[in-house]
Each structure stands twice: as C-alpha cells, then as structure tokens.
Amino acid sequence: MRMYDLIMKKRNGNELTTEEINFFISGYTKGSIPDYQVSALLMAIYFQKMNERETTNLTMAMVNSGETINLSKIKGIKVDKHSTGGVGDTTTLIVGPIVAAAGVPVAKMSGRGLGHTGGTIDKLESFEGFSTSMSIEKFMKDVNETKIAIGGQTADLAPADKMLYSLRDVTATVDNISLIASSIMSKKIASGADAIVLDIKTGSGAFMKNEDDAFELAREMVEIGTNVGRKTIGVITDMDQPLGYAVGNSLEVEEAIDTLKGEGPKDLTELCLTLGSHMLVLGEKAKNVDEAREILKDIIKSGKGLQKLRELVVAQGGNPSFVDDQSMFKVPSIVEDILSNYEGYVKAIKADAIGIAALNLGAGRETKESIIDLSVGVVLHKKIGDFVKKGETIATIYANSEEKQKTSTKMVLDAYEIVKEKTNPKPLIKGIVTRDGIIKF
Ligand code: URA
Ligand code: CA
C-alpha cells in the first residue's frame, strides 16, 4: 500500500477502505509516513469529507494507536462527560460530585488544556496539595470507594490523535466535523467509558459558531459511539456568553462550590442538572431525566454533592478546608471593579473576548509551556438581558499586573454590547441528539 495512492483517492472524492485508514494511522504513529503526506491527506479529507464508516474506522484506528484503559474492575456503568469547550465552563467540578453522590461511578481522565483558562486538572490544583498523578490501581480503588476520581490523561492514550491534532493545528484542517468527532471520541473510547454524555457548545465562545454545525458534530459523535457499543448522547448548549459569572481557575472553583451549595448561577446550575440527569439515566440510577433531575436537586439541597467534592479533594491529597472556607483561595494583588460607560440592557457579551481577557491576565496557556496563574481572571456581574446603569459595576478583574489589568479591562468593556431595548438571552439547551434522532427545543 502506498500513501500516495490514498491521497489521490481521497483527493478525487473516493472512500478510503478500513485497511487504508489503518495503514495511514499506524504508519504515521510509527514514523514511516511523513508529516507532509499526512498533511496532504488531511486537506483532501477536509474538502472531500468522510462518511460514517470512514469516520468510525479513523476513530478506532486512533484508539488502537496506543493504550486503552481497562476500567472493568470498577463496579457499575461508567459514564463519562465531555464538553467541546467554552468560556468559564466549570461543569465537571459540579457534575462529577453530584453524579457520584447519586451512585454513578465517575472515572474521569482530564486534561490541562490549552485555552482561555486551564483544564479541570489545573482548576483542581487550586486546592492546596491536590494531585492527579496516581497509579491506575489507586484510581480504580478511589472510584470503587468514593465513586469519583479525576486522573491526568496519560501520554499513551490515543497518541495518533495527539500527532494528528498538532498537524491539523498548523495546516488549517482543524474545523472538519469528521476530524473533530473522531479526535474527541477516540480519547473517550480509549479511556474506557461505557457511556458518554457530550456537551456540544455553539455560539461566539465555541468551536462551532453555527448551530447547524453543532448538531451535525453531535450526530457524528453519537454515531461513532453507538457504532462501537458505547451509549452516547449529545446535548447542544449555548455558548454565546460565558457560562456562570466566573472565568479563571480558582474563581471558577469557588463558583463550583457555590453551585454545589445551591447558590450558583442559574445557567451553570441548569446545565449541570441537564448533563447530570442524562448521566444518571445512562448509568441506570434513574428511569428518566425528570426523575434524575429530582434526585440531583436533592443531592445539592442536602449537601451531599459538596460532601462528595470534599471526599474527592481528600482522596487526592488536597486540603479540604478550602471547600468550607473560600477565603483560603489565593487572591491576586489587584482586585478592581470595571464600571459601565453606558446605561441600558446587555444585548451581547462576546464570550471569546472575555476568554482572551482572562488569558491575557495569565489564567490560561498561550503555549504548552506557559505557567498558569490560578488566582487571576474575570468575574462578570451582568449577563445578557440585565439592566446596567452608567457607572455601575459590570465586572471585576483579578490581576497580578497593572499593565495586564488595564489591557484586560478594555477587552472586557469592548466585549459588552449595551443597548436601549431589552433582549432576552437565548435558551441554554438547544437540543438533544441520540441514536434515535434529533430533538430541537
Ligand atoms: N478537541 C479535540 O480534542 N479535538 C478536536 O479535533 C477538536 C477539539
Ligand atoms: Ca463560570
């Protein structure tokens, strides 16, 4: 088999066979096929697309390019959750504990993430002493005993995806739905989940700016999961403004604690109840999403969700006092309110611009080597539909440098659109995609 022939075949709009896809992925992982040929094939795939069978084959070839995690020693149905990424998204820190408290084992592999803020692992490191490096034995023991563990993704999980993703990043081939779907699903499948709930974001702060594309991405991921025997559900959610109020690592952890106390932002709470309900149904701890939602609301009300977070922090070496005394989180040297120059209703908040303001403060990584400042970020006070008076606080900046404070303040002000007429925020949950079809709300 020659890579040249595969490139030409795809360039001309033909399907690649299962053997050809396996050949290309295994050759690339071993180093016998060079970057330039793979780049050409990716561009051909970008323009000619792949069908369902090819996308599933590509996913499984990437899964088989490295280790897979065998979670069979964990009792019960392991349900994973994945978000395609947004701004200020703290859901894992809430959904994990409430779902675990309902008895569904949460065996989560998380990443550090390149982006506006850190990944779940970075955020958890706000708890002094918290560590995600542990043996697979301890990981499984923790899940069996406390129903939850959050581990760092090992380098050996779907290595072909890592290589391909880096190449796509520099060859303008990231935003192809089949390539995104296979990339995300390969990691979920390799990390051993029995069932998967996907949160597919759409809007100004998301990968998929366009709602139809988000539904199509969900459909492809659900197809892949179903084809390889993992129950998969996609929930399409709004990311036209940041989720909740806090954008920044420790700030988001504090927001998660508030939400677990039942005092969190409405949108964040709603998203967590929705995603968590689907996880409970897939994990067979509730008959339907309505019953699941009641169970989860009780878990928050009774404090069992917060207790589960405490147990997680203790099990992974962190200081649990932070859960009960939020003054323990490090506060940066500058905490300054941003005042509105206008009066009116908030019509839009460019989520990506708020994300970049947080990144500029040091809340995220510009490159893989960047060191995150866990204490900095932005806390919004006003969201879409809210009324603002001139001179009223619309957001608060947490910074460790005056210069960065200034540039980020300007970015936050520019991200807000304030108008005379009231506009209501778009519905948070836009639809559900299952193997049986698509429901749009
Ligand atoms: N996230 C991934 O893991 N892969 C993609 O291709 C896009 C987003
Ligand atoms: Ca948030």
Side-chain angles (χ1 to χ4, degrees):
M1 217 176 270
R2 293 165 65 220
M3 188 62 179
Y4 179 94
D5 300 325
L6 270 62
I7 298 169
M8 187 151 77
K9 198 171 175 190
K10 187 42 90 181
R11 187 201 72 185
N12 292 342
N14 297 311
E15 267 182 53
L16 299 178
T17 65
T18 307
E19 292 70 33
E20 285 166 339
I21 290 169
N22 288 338
F23 166 80
F24 133 62
I25 290 297
S26 86
Y28 188 42
T29 316
K30 282 188 305 218
S32 57
I33 299 174
D35 278 351
Y36 52 82
Q37 283 190 308
V38 176
S39 302
L41 181 62
L42 287 171
M43 191 56 83
I45 290 172
Y46 181 88
F47 281 113
Q48 298 292 0
K49 307 196 167 48
M50 290 196 297
N51 65 22
E52 180 182 336
R53 198 254 323 136
E54 289 175 292
T55 307
T56 303
N57 287 163
L58 176 62
T59 308
M60 290 315 291
M62 295 199 289
V63 169
N64 295 325
S65 70
E67 285 177 13
T68 53
I69 299 180
N70 182 348
L71 298 177
S72 57
K73 288 210 187 92
I74 296 172
K75 301 183 263 309
I77 302 169
K78 284 128 341 246
V79 188
D80 203 351
K81 180 216 82 134
H82 180 85
S83 154
T84 58
V87 179
D89 187 351
T90 327
T91 50
T92 300
L93 295 175
I94 302 152
V95 170
I98 59 177
V99 167
V104 176
V106 178
K108 188 125 189 73
M109 298 287 163
S110 279
R112 287 196 182 272
L114 257 177
H116 307 124
T117 64
T120 299
I121 292 187
D122 301 295
K123 290 175 194 172
L124 282 166
E125 286 174 354
S126 302
F127 295 103
E128 188 183 79
F130 194 95
S131 167
T132 50
S133 35
M134 63 184 112
S135 66
I136 189 77
E137 288 74 27
K138 172 168 161 52
F139 181 79
M140 294 208 246
K141 186 167 156 280
D142 281 1
V143 181
N144 277 331
E145 283 173 4
T146 63
K147 292 283 179 241
I148 185 166
I150 299 185
Q153 230 160 49
T154 72
D156 305 329
L157 225 51
D161 169 64
K162 246 177 223 107
M163 294 171 69
L164 274 189
Y165 198 23
S166 308
L167 198 58
R168 286 165 56 209
D169 213 17
V170 293
T171 55
T173 49
V174 169
D175 55 339
N176 169 276
I177 289 177
S178 292
L179 293 177
I180 297 174
S182 55
S183 167
I184 294 173
M185 292 303 287
S186 69
K187 286 170 282 204
K188 294 290 114 184
I189 293 164
S191 57
D194 299 316
I196 303 157
V197 175
L198 300 161
D199 175 10
I200 295 110
K201 310 274 192 196
T202 177
S204 67
F207 245 120
M208 296 286 131
K209 308 277 180 223
N210 172 310
E211 199 172 311
D212 289 340
D213 288 346
F215 274 96
E216 180 53 26
L217 177 62
R219 205 188 54 76
E220 290 207 14
M221 291 200 280
V222 168
E223 258 170 16
I224 296 169
T226 307
N227 285 344
V228 302
R230 317 286 169 112
K231 278 192 244 169
T232 308
I233 286 181
V235 184
I236 316 300
T237 70
D238 181 68
M239 191 30 87
D240 237 4
Q241 62 179 340
L243 192 61
Y245 294 101
V247 183
N249 299 281
S250 296
L251 297 167
E252 289 182 36
V253 172
E254 291 190 59
E255 186 163 74
I257 293 171
D258 290 341
T259 308
L260 286 169
K261 286 181 180 160
E263 298 160 3
K266 235 172 88 189
D267 59 347
L268 180 60
T269 304
E270 173 58 28
L271 182 62
C272 291
L273 289 173
T274 301
L275 297 174
S277 299
H278 287 289
M279 291 174 77
L280 253 55
V281 173
L282 288 179
E284 297 178 2
K285 295 293 174 191
K287 284 194 291 292
N288 54 51
V289 284
D290 295 331
E291 185 189 79
R293 178 176 279 260
E294 291 312 310
I295 295 172
L296 293 176
K297 279 183 170 166
D298 278 347
I299 283 172
I300 292 175
K301 212 165 162 190
S302 63
K304 284 184 192 149
L306 196 65
Q307 175 55 22
K308 196 50 82 179
L309 177 68
R310 263 187 222 107
E311 289 171 26
L312 168 71
V313 171
V314 170
Q316 299 195 207
N319 181 349
S321 311
F322 282 66
V323 177
D324 302 294
D325 180 3
Q326 295 189 34
S327 71
M328 293 182 73
F329 288 103
K330 214 196 254 156
V331 180
S333 56
I334 303 168
V335 179
E336 184 105 353
D337 288 341
I338 302 178
L339 310 180
S340 177
N341 296 322
Y342 303 100
E343 173 163 310
Y345 291 94
V346 178
K347 181 179 179 207
I349 308 169
K350 288 191 202 89
D352 44 359
I354 299 288
I356 293 165
L359 176 68
N360 177 58
L361 293 167
R365 291 188 179 82
E366 310 229 18
T367 69
K368 270 185 275 189
E369 288 72 35
S370 310
I371 294 171
I372 287 186
D373 184 342
L374 294 172
S375 69
V376 300
V378 180
V379 175
L380 310 179
H381 294 262
K382 300 287 180 181
K383 304 237 340 207
I384 296 176
D386 289 346
F387 185 73
V388 196
K389 284 189 276 212
K390 189 167 183 219
E392 196 182 349
T393 302
I394 51 173
T396 303
I397 283 252
Y398 291 72
N400 268 321
S401 133
E402 241 172 75
E403 193 197 320
K404 289 178 178 173
Q405 175 213 346
K406 280 206 189 93
T407 45
S408 288
T409 296
K410 179 159 188 329
M411 290 181 205
V412 171
L413 283 171
D414 289 347
Y416 271 88
E417 189 183 342
I418 295 169
V419 298
K420 287 268 167 315
E421 253 124 70
K422 183 172 164 75
T423 23
N424 289 317
K426 292 186 190 150
L428 180 67
I429 313 291
K430 295 172 180 292
I432 309 279
V433 179
T434 66
R435 60 184 301 183
D436 301 322
I438 296 176
I439 303 165
K440 289 194 185 183
F441 300 136

